[in-house]
Amino acid sequence: MRYKIEDYPFEKSDFLHYLKILYKDRGLKACYQFLNRAHRRSFSRGLISTYAPRGIGLEVGVGARTICPTHRTVLSDAFSAHGVHDSIAKVFFHGDEIPYEDNSFSFIVSEHVLEHIANPLKVLKECIRVLSPGGKLFLFLPHMERTNDSHRKVTTLEHVIADYEKDIPFDDATHVDDWFKNVVKKGLMPIHYSHLTKKDLLKTGSIHHHVWTEKQLLEIMQYLGLKVCYVNAKVPDRRDSFVVVAEKS
Ligand SMILES: C[S@@+](CC[C@H](N)C(=O)[O-])C[C@H]1O[C@@H](n2cnc3c(N)ncnc32)[C@H](O)[C@@H]1O
Ligand SMILES: [Zn+2]
């Protein structure tokens, strides 16, 4: 089954939508702080409006918050909840099978999602399929040295190619032991996953299967034939993250 962009209920006001989800997710105090800091995530939002100033976009794995212009972005997720947070997505599907026609979107944003994917190339190839030529892909990802993955080994291009060739499914368990040894046992388990069993962690895409810095992501972009437009090893308004913006030719 395929979705149609025309049927998607876009929000009229980004600002009110953002306040609404902030209130639901983090309460009145967070709204107050936001209003006092009018420029929250302004760098990342500006990146999207600079490289994708018009057209309809798709966010993959939106979770409980978004930096996208919601009046022209389809908010999607694979799961209705992630850890203790409800997703604000309005359409649900796994990133390895995106139910839209080829060349549907002017941009795709995915923030802290690709590391949760057992078969990243499969999802990236789907993203490229639904991006229109000249469309931009924005990938915000945790930098391995500045997150709970700091004790783990970086994931190579060869590894993700092998995952793709083996057609690894979304709930693959290959990296669970590494996650437990180098994240959970080191006391670095994110608090919002701590109530989940091993099985639930996998079923809800909650572990970081893979671990990167911007360097490996650039290799992946090159391998996929994408032109890199922008890279920043430290996102100024999400400092545990790096960002890569790439273009489909
Ligand atoms: C750490 S949360 C990030 C949420 C949000 N983008 C943010 O930055 O706060 C990871 C998100 O990835 C989503 N996810 C996990 N596996 C996925 C998959 N196979 N396809 C699409 N989304 C997935 C989860 O549902 C969750 O919303
Ligand atoms: Zn893997």
Side-chain angles (χ1 to χ4, degrees), residues 51 101-108 124-138 221 224-229 245-249:
Y51 285 96
E101 301 292 341
D102 298 0
N103 309 325
S104 289
F105 296 103
S106 300
F107 64 97
I108 295 186
L124 288 171
K125 282 175 189 251
E126 266 298 88
C127 290
I128 295 169
R129 180 185 68 73
V130 298
L131 259 186
S132 48
K136 305 291 189 299
L137 176 64
F138 298 80
M221 297 295 101
L224 290 168
L226 296 174
K227 185 180 127 205
V228 173
C229 312
V245 183
E247 180 182 303
K248 174 174 168 178
S249 56

Side-chain angles (χ1 to χ4, degrees), residues 61-63 65 77-79 82 94-95 111-113 116-117 205 238:
V62 64
R65 61 192 69 95
D77 216 328
F79 305 103
H82 180 76
H94 284 243
E111 191 172 28
H112 285 232
V113 176
H116 291 268
I117 306 261
R238 191 163 181 177

Side-chain angles (χ1 to χ4, degrees), residues 3-16:
Y3 288 120
K4 285 202 182 111
I5 292 177
E6 307 85 85
D7 298 337
Y8 184 85
F10 290 104
E11 294 294 333
K12 288 201 174 56
S13 159
D14 284 358
F15 181 74
L16 286 181

